[in-house]
Amino acid sequence: PVATAPAALVISPIVRRLARESGVDLGAVRGTGPGGVIRRVDVEAALAAPAPRLAAVPDPHVALAPAGDGDVIVPLTGVRKAIADKLSRSRREIPEVTIWVDVDATGLLETRAAINAATPDAPVSILALLARVCLSGLRRFPQLNARVDTEAQQIVQSASVHLGIAAQTDRGLLVPVLRDAQRLTTAELAAELATTTAAARAGTLPPARLTGGTFTLNNYGVFGVDGSTPIINHPEAALLGVGRIVDKPWVVDGQLAVRKVTQLSLTFDHRVCDGGVAGGFLRHVADCVERPAVLIANV
C-alpha cells in the first residue's frame, strides 16, 4: 500500500478558522501541543515566517552562445532599427485582432482588363483597384481611419485618408503614404502608386512621405503567400492585407468552377471599434472585389 501523510492534528475550531482565513496549509504546520496538536500560536508562527525566496531568473543574454567564425552579424541600426522599433511598439501598445475571408477576384481581374483595354496608355494595376476599394470601405466605416491618442485618452478619426502602401525595398519594408488619397481618381491612384513605390525602392522618397499615414494596404501576395497576420503600422488603427491570386475550385450558381481566388485579411486595433465594424468593412471590401458593380455604386 502507498503511505499517506498523517492528517493535521487540530482540535480547536478557532484554529481551523484562523488557518482557513489566513490561507495557511495546516498540513505544513508543525504542532507544538501535546501529541503534536496544532495550536493558535503555531498558525501565527507560520504566518510570521518569511516566505521562501525564489531562485533568481538568469539574464537570457547570459545563455547566448558566442558568435562563431561563420556567423553573419547584421547591426540593428539605421532603417532596420527604425522598422524594428516601430513594429515592437505596435505589438506592445495595440490590442490587435485579425479577421479574414476568401474571395473570388475573377470579376476584379476582368474589370481591370476592361479598363486597360479602354485606356492602354494609362494602365491600372490591381493594387490601384484594391486601394479604390479600401477608400470606399473607409468612407462607409470611418472608425478604421483613425488613431488612438493615449495621452489625451481619445480616438482621432481622420477627415482625410492618407493611404500607406507597404513596399519591400533593399533597405527593408517601407510604407510610403499617398496623402488625401480619397481625392484621387482610380487612374490618378494608379499613377501615384507607380511613381511612389518606384521612388521608395530607389531611396529617393523624402522622409516626410513615409509618415502620417492613417490606413495601410499591404499586398503580401507578391511574395507568393496566401495569408498573413500583419503588424499594424503604428499609430494607425488598421491594415488590409491581400494574398496571392490563384486558380481554385469555387462554387458559382450551384456549380463547381475554377475561379481566381485570394484571401483578404484585416488587422485592426480593438480599441477603435468592435467586430461589427471591422467585419462590415471587410465584407464590403470582399463584395467590391467579387462584384465591382458594388464598388461603382458606392464611389
Side-chain angles (χ1 to χ4, degrees):
V2 179
T4 57
L9 297 176
V10 183
I11 297 176
S12 170
I14 296 177
V15 173
R16 288 188 182 277
R17 185 173 68 250
L18 175 63
R20 184 174 62 252
E21 294 175 351
S22 304
V24 174
D25 180 8
L26 290 173
V29 176
R30 180 177 176 273
T32 59
V37 171
I38 297 174
R39 301 182 300 170
R40 178 170 184 154
V41 292
D42 299 326
V43 175
E44 292 172 345
L47 284 171
R53 297 184 62 183
L54 298 176
V57 178
D59 186 339
H61 296 287
V62 174
L64 293 178
D69 293 338
D71 293 347
V72 177
I73 307 300
V74 180
L76 200 58
T77 58
V79 174
R80 189 71 258 170
K81 185 178 187 304
I83 294 172
D85 290 345
K86 192 166 189 178
L87 295 178
S88 297
R89 182 178 183 185
S90 179
R91 271 289 160 87
R92 271 196 318 270
E93 297 182 6
I94 299 178
E96 60 186 28
V97 180
T98 299
I99 57 178
W100 59 89
V101 62
D102 290 338
V103 297
D104 178 2
T106 306
L108 190 69
L109 291 175
E110 292 173 347
T111 298
R112 180 202 177 203
I115 293 173
N116 290 345
T119 57
D121 294 335
V124 171
S125 64
I126 286 293
L127 190 62
L129 291 180
L130 290 170
R132 172 58 61 204
V133 170
C134 285
L135 293 169
S136 174
L138 291 174
R139 186 171 66 174
R140 178 174 288 196
F141 299 95
Q143 299 93 325
L144 293 169
N145 190 49
R147 60 183 173 85
V148 175
D149 186 338
T150 53
E151 291 186 4
Q153 287 295 292
Q154 61 186 12
I155 298 170
V156 180
Q157 289 186 16
S158 299
S160 296
V161 179
H162 305 311
L163 185 64
I165 303 295
Q168 189 66 44
T169 72
D170 293 338
R171 297 185 297 150
L173 180 65
L174 302 180
V175 186
V177 176
L178 277 61
R179 304 200 180 279
D180 298 308
Q182 80 283 353
R183 297 181 180 178
L184 303 176
T185 66
T186 302
E188 290 170 342
L189 272 174
E192 188 68 17
L193 278 170
T195 57
T196 299
T197 53
R201 293 190 176 104
T204 59
L205 207 62
R209 291 292 309 277
L210 297 172
T211 60
T214 60
F215 185 92
T216 293
L217 174 59
N218 184 4
N219 179 21
Y220 45 73
V222 296
F223 303 121
V225 299
D226 296 322
S228 172
T229 55
I231 299 176
I232 294 174
N233 187 25
H234 186 278
E236 299 170 18
L239 179 153
L240 181 76
V242 185
R244 61 177 181 161
I245 301 175
V246 294
D247 289 342
K248 286 187 178 182
W250 197 263
V251 177
V252 180
D253 298 328
Q255 299 294 320
L256 194 61
V258 177
R259 306 287 283 183
K260 300 293 186 181
V261 178
T262 187
Q263 184 181 94
L264 305 175
S265 64
L266 176 71
T267 299
F268 67 97
D269 186 338
H270 217 319
R271 295 173 299 178
V272 305
C273 70
D274 295 325
V277 168
F281 172 87
L282 186 58
R283 190 64 255 171
H284 175 76
V285 169
D287 289 344
C288 290
V289 169
E290 293 187 334
R291 293 174 290 144
V294 175
L295 172 62
I296 295 172
N298 286 275
V299 171

